[in-house]
Amino acid sequence: MKQRIEYIDLAKGFCILLVILHHIEGPFEQTDINRLLMPFRMPLYYFLSGFFFHRYAGFVNFTLRKINKLLVPCFFFLFITYLFYSGIWLINGQYDSIFQIPKNLLLSLSKDSIYLNTPLWFFVSLFEVSVIFYIITVISERLSIKFGGKKALMAIFCFSSGILGYEMGIYKIGLPFWLDTSITSIPFYYIGYFLIKETDFLSSNKLDKYIPIILVALGLIVYILADFSNNRTNVYHGNFIPFYLSAFSGTFFVLLLSKLIKKLPIVSVLGQYSGIVLGTHFTLILLLKKYLFFVNNDWLLTGIIFLIISVVSVPVCRFFLRYFPKFIGQKDLINTESQLSAKVFLICSMLIFLMFVTS
């Protein structure tokens, strides 16, 4: 995917808009439409991320690239969020709240959340999914003997992983740092990778004229099979088959709809820089809720907040792109070319991680 495909940005834009709408937590959350969105709201993003998988120059190089793209932005937006709230608490004389940040962060992580900026969990999970998928590709390659064996093993490993993660959710077996969610989400990442690697699905073809009919069929599948699910906490209802069918149907619905429309000005920009929107929108929602307290109608409040964030996020993205490109994954903060420095960095990171987990 050397050349940028515009409608992929549009699909990512739709995805981040659904995330914003979900986090506003207005009356929309109680509607049947929200129930239909639940199975594919976040799986859609794993799926789209699979398009861009590449093994690069080995595992260390790959991991460092993913740290630059995912973990660096996660910690950067975490720092910005805490800095912002610390400023407010300092002005209001709430010094205890500032000193409680490390404790509250640890407590929130133990409950599958991130203190003051919950959506940042996805950066961590997507990093885990990327690394796990890399390992699966290596294992499949080394175990396969006959032609096509690698592809078959990859599919088996990825879907077995997804089913395992789903069943862990059903039986309430949780893993730290959203690893259970990541395991459940491997099939979505895999199918995204498979489409870009093995098919010409993303390019224009003769089947595109049937997109409206396919959209109706996919919409019906989602309508019939969609049930409650919470990707962040890895909580689901029912059998894994309806879940994955509804999730994939909803994912392809958004992708094909985007292929049909191709581009929408604001939505496409938000999709192109969806990581920035993911890291900033939650704080904006909380601020708007505080200062729009005079709006008594919940539906009106939801609509106003959704519209403001959709528009304001564009200049917010431009700001971070201009002044902090290395901290939002647009440029490398960590040198990925030096093997020695890369290995030293990874070892230090693992030691810090172990200290953090055991503290």
Side-chain angles (χ1 to χ4, degrees), residues 25-68:
E25 294 184 339
F28 180 78
E29 288 291 289
Q30 307 303 320
T31 64
D32 284 338
I33 296 178
N34 182 57
R35 175 184 61 83
L36 300 180
L37 297 175
M38 281 182 175
F40 66 90
R41 184 160 40 215
M42 295 313 298
L44 170 61
Y45 208 100
Y46 290 109
F47 172 84
L48 295 173
S49 299
F51 290 165
F52 307 99
F53 175 82
H54 192 278
R55 282 170 56 171
Y56 299 108
F59 182 73
V60 173
N61 182 268
F62 172 85
T63 303
L64 284 179
R65 286 174 181 269
K66 291 305 174 183
I67 289 173
N68 278 325

Side-chain angles (χ1 to χ4, degrees), residues 113-141:
S113 185
I114 292 183
Y115 182 52
L116 297 179
N117 202 338
T118 303
L120 295 181
W121 72 269
F122 184 73
F123 284 112
V124 180
S125 178
L126 186 55
F127 172 79
E128 294 170 345
V129 169
S130 302
V131 172
I132 293 171
F133 187 74
Y134 182 101
I135 295 171
I136 287 175
T137 63
V138 173
I139 293 174
S140 301
E141 191 173 75

Side-chain angles (χ1 to χ4, degrees), residues 245-260:
L245 283 176
S246 60
F248 277 118
S249 296
T251 294
F252 279 103
F253 182 94
V254 175
L255 184 63
L256 290 175
L257 180 64
S258 301
K259 193 175 185 180
L260 196 64

Side-chain angles (χ1 to χ4, degrees), residues 203-357:
S203 59
S204 298
N205 56 67
K206 60 183 180 180
L207 296 177
D208 287 353
K209 61 184 178 181
Y210 299 110
I211 287 180
I213 299 174
I214 297 172
L215 288 176
V216 173
L218 292 173
L220 284 173
I221 293 173
V222 173
Y223 181 79
I224 294 170
L225 297 180
D227 201 349
F228 173 85
S229 62
N230 188 319
N231 196 244
R232 176 174 62 84
T233 57
N234 204 42
V235 173
Y236 311 97
H237 286 174
N239 190 276
F240 66 86
I241 295 177
F243 166 72
Y244 280 111
L245 283 176
S246 60
F248 277 118
S249 296
T251 294
F252 279 103
F253 182 94
V254 175
L255 184 63
L256 290 175
L257 180 64
S258 301
K259 193 175 185 180
L260 196 64
I261 299 172
K262 291 185 173 59
K263 185 177 182 179
L264 289 174
I266 293 180
V267 182
S268 296
V269 172
L270 296 182
Q272 187 175 354
Y273 305 115
S274 56
I276 303 174
V277 184
L278 186 70
T280 56
H281 76 277
F282 199 69
T283 302
L284 292 175
I285 289 174
L286 296 179
L287 279 175
L288 288 171
K289 283 187 175 182
K290 180 178 180 180
Y291 291 105
L292 292 175
F293 63 90
F294 55 87
V295 180
N296 296 320
N297 186 287
D298 290 339
W299 277 106
L300 180 60
L301 179 62
T302 298
I304 292 173
I305 293 175
F306 182 76
L307 181 61
I308 291 176
I309 291 179
S310 300
V311 175
V312 168
S313 290
V314 175
V316 168
C317 289
R318 301 297 183 195
F319 172 81
F320 283 104
L321 283 167
R322 180 173 181 178
Y323 295 105
F324 303 100
K326 290 186 177 181
F327 294 94
I328 58 172
Q330 295 300 309
K331 293 183 179 180
D332 288 343
L333 178 67
I334 304 163
N335 183 9
T336 60
E337 301 304 322
S338 172
Q339 288 295 311
L340 179 60
S341 62
K343 290 177 181 178
V344 170
F345 177 83
L346 282 178
I347 292 171
C348 292
S349 299
M350 290 175 64
L351 290 174
I352 293 171
F353 174 78
L354 291 172
M355 288 173 61
F356 181 79
V357 171

